[in-house]
Amino acid sequence: MLEIKNVSKIYNEGLQFQALKSIDLEVEEGEFVGIMGPSGSGKSTLLNLIGTIDTPTSGKVILGGKEPAKLNSEELAKFRRNELGFVFQNFNLMPTLTVEENIILPLTLDGEKISVMTKKLNIIAERLGISELLKKRIATISGGQAQRVAIARAMIHEPKLILADEPTGNLDTKSSKDVMGLLEDLNQKEASTILMVTHDPFAASYCKKIVFIKDGELVKEIYQNGTREAFYDDILIALKEIEGAQNEL
């Protein structure tokens, strides 16, 4: 599904800074992988490279057998719309549009038929429990509901990979549980492949594998082999082993 081969990223704006150093990572189809590490460790940089928002200085990012860095701007835009689904901390929804209009936006940009959009919209809205919200404006719904809408938008075009960047960062405890339970269901029942950046051990406990980054390098991987509660404890232990991780708790 996803191969990251010897990827490094160096920023040369002002003082040179190496954000990532020789990263190697594979994500299999149907995996739910979390990325954790101290602030400034390179988590967001890695997600931006995978999401084709940025390009590596060296090495390769290969998704579904394609190397996005070699695509032209038109091909890249189409690749991003068709192959990737994005879920952000601040939802990134269009406040002037209705819930329905936000969800079908990727299909609208691709010029999909109205009949096809309507069918896909009804299926995804029913699956995520937001059918009654479709005609409402974004400004009138809660944060937890908004994140469900964002997940619906990310899923409606059936992407190969969902990229979630701190998806519970702006949510209260109950909404966080609801959203993570939803992502877990999508992974387990729909076999969706999900890659999530988070600093929250609770959110991370829903993943099946956690990759830890420190100073731009992959330093540890752990896997869920038992209960989610036991995995949560394993995550806390792993974070404490990484210098500076105490500030993340």
Side-chain angles (χ1 to χ4, degrees):
M1 164 64 71
L2 173 67
E3 295 178 86
I4 299 171
K5 297 183 176 181
N6 198 31
V7 163
S8 295
K9 180 63 181 181
I10 299 174
Y11 293 103
N12 290 303
E13 299 174 1
L15 294 175
Q16 188 177 91
F17 171 67
Q18 185 162 9
L20 294 176
K21 305 170 185 177
S22 304
I23 298 288
D24 288 301
L25 177 65
E26 291 188 359
V27 176
E28 301 293 339
E29 186 172 354
E31 277 196 302
F32 190 174
V33 180
I35 302 174
M36 302 190 77
S39 298
S41 59
K43 302 186 298 295
S44 293
T45 299
L46 180 58
L47 201 69
N48 286 342
L49 296 182
I50 297 169
T52 73
I53 296 169
D54 205 348
T55 56
T57 303
S58 61
K60 295 180 179 181
V61 176
I62 302 171
L63 178 60
K66 297 179 180 179
E67 193 173 346
K70 293 184 176 180
L71 303 177
N72 62 39
S73 58
E74 184 177 339
E75 291 171 335
L76 185 59
K78 184 177 181 180
F79 177 87
R80 190 180 293 133
R81 288 201 307 271
N82 294 341
E83 308 294 335
L84 300 173
F86 296 91
V87 181
F88 300 96
Q89 177 177 345
N90 59 357
F91 318 135
N92 277 28
L93 299 170
M94 301 290 288
T96 58
L97 302 181
T98 64
V99 166
E100 177 181 52
E101 291 166 340
N102 268 279
I103 294 173
I104 64 173
L105 189 57
L107 303 181
T108 303
L109 293 173
D110 278 340
E112 186 59 87
K113 294 179 180 178
I114 293 177
S115 59
V116 174
M117 289 194 291
T118 301
K119 181 178 180 180
K120 289 188 174 184
L121 171 68
N122 290 333
I123 291 173
I124 196 71
E126 178 68 25
R127 185 182 301 165
L128 302 191
I130 54 175
S131 297
E132 75 282 359
L133 302 178
L134 293 180
K135 301 302 181 182
K136 292 187 176 183
R137 298 280 176 183
I138 296 301
T140 67
I141 64 177
S142 70
Q145 290 171 332
Q147 196 60 292
R148 283 176 175 263
V149 174
I151 293 170
R153 182 186 58 187
M155 290 292 300
I156 196 166
H157 60 293
E158 301 174 356
K160 284 189 172 67
L161 178 65
I162 297 174
L163 300 175
D165 189 3
E166 301 283 4
T168 62
N170 283 334
L171 303 178
D172 59 29
T173 301
K174 181 184 182 305
S175 295
S176 294
K177 289 181 179 179
D178 289 344
V179 166
M180 291 312 305
L182 175 58
L183 290 175
E184 183 180 50
D185 282 347
L186 289 173
N187 172 249
Q188 294 182 354
K189 297 178 182 179
E190 307 294 332
S192 299
T193 307
I194 305 172
L195 188 64
M196 177 180 72
V197 164
T198 183
H199 73 280
D200 180 8
F202 170 78
S205 69
Y206 284 83
C207 299
K208 298 304 179 186
K209 177 173 76 173
I210 305 292
V211 176
F212 295 89
I213 298 181
K214 178 186 174 184
D215 297 330
E217 298 180 288
L218 294 185
V219 295
K220 190 178 184 68
E221 290 185 6
I222 62 173
Y223 297 81
Q224 183 184 142
N225 295 315
T227 66
R228 188 167 63 79
E229 290 76 11
F231 193 42
Y232 175 83
D233 291 336
D234 292 341
I235 293 168
L236 291 179
I237 292 170
L239 285 172
K240 290 178 180 178
E241 290 175 354
I242 300 172
E243 182 182 356
Q246 290 87 342
N247 295 328
E248 291 288 288
L249 302 181

